[in-house]
Amino acid sequence: RDASTQVTFASFTPSAPGNYIARILAQNPGDTNPTNDSTEVPFRIPDNISGIKTVGPGGNFATLTDAIRYLNDNNVAGPLTFSLTGTSYNEGPVSVEPITYTSSVQPVVIQPASGISAVITFSPTDTAPYGIRVNGGTSFTLNGSNNNSASRNLTLTVDTAGSSAPAILITNGCRNVTVQNLTVRGYRKS
């Protein structure tokens, strides 16, 4: 006979941000089907992030993809800059999802580090046909200058192997998104 019982557990608040798994195990003497006695629920406690994070060799993140995953998984608590320390990046499509803030909107910037001229080559896919997408973002800047002037020290290109894809796609109600001082090379199918 099937039976169910509701059980309430004491609350638990993890002490540090990160990825966790809640495991629930039922032990019932005489159970003839122990394969259905447990379940797992993954969850994440986001970190509050701000400051300058380096992207490239020896940096906080090896790739722009890793840096944007970090942005998408956490809460922005203050101004945040991803400083590109390498000169060449080969990335799949990168999507900046709606940014979560701890309280007020804070600026999020991607730009080359001082003295660096960088090229990011994106390889779009059929399911993600863009280089970098800002998907509903607020207060996001792509600044190609490595010294906050009008210099153009960042080039974005798309390697599409014969299909069309924009290097930059801004979509889904973005507000206060700035793209400045870049050289952008998209691909147009002939």
Side-chain angles (χ1 to χ4, degrees), residues 24-139:
I24 301 149
L25 174 65
Q27 294 180 326
N28 187 6
D31 186 354
T32 59
N33 185 11
T35 60
N36 67 355
D37 291 354
S38 66
T39 191
E40 294 182 350
V41 178
F43 65 98
R44 176 167 178 72
I45 302 297
D47 200 358
N48 296 329
I49 60 176
S50 63
I52 297 173
K53 307 295 182 190
T54 54
V55 182
N60 300 106
F61 306 98
T63 67
L64 184 60
T65 300
D66 293 339
I68 298 304
R69 185 177 303 118
Y70 173 78
L71 171 64
N72 290 341
D73 285 349
N74 291 294
N75 301 320
V76 176
L80 176 64
T81 298
F82 291 105
S83 180
L84 304 174
T85 58
T87 58
S88 179
Y89 298 82
N90 292 302
E91 306 280 345
V94 175
S95 184
V96 178
E97 297 303 320
I99 299 169
T100 305
Y101 301 96
T102 55
S103 57
S104 62
V105 172
Q106 299 291 325
V108 175
V109 178
I110 296 173
Q111 74 181 104
S114 179
I116 297 292
S117 289
V119 176
I120 303 173
T121 302
F122 296 102
S123 296
T125 65
D126 289 340
T127 57
Y130 48 81
I132 184 167
R133 174 177 71 170
V134 184
N135 185 26
T138 301
S139 193

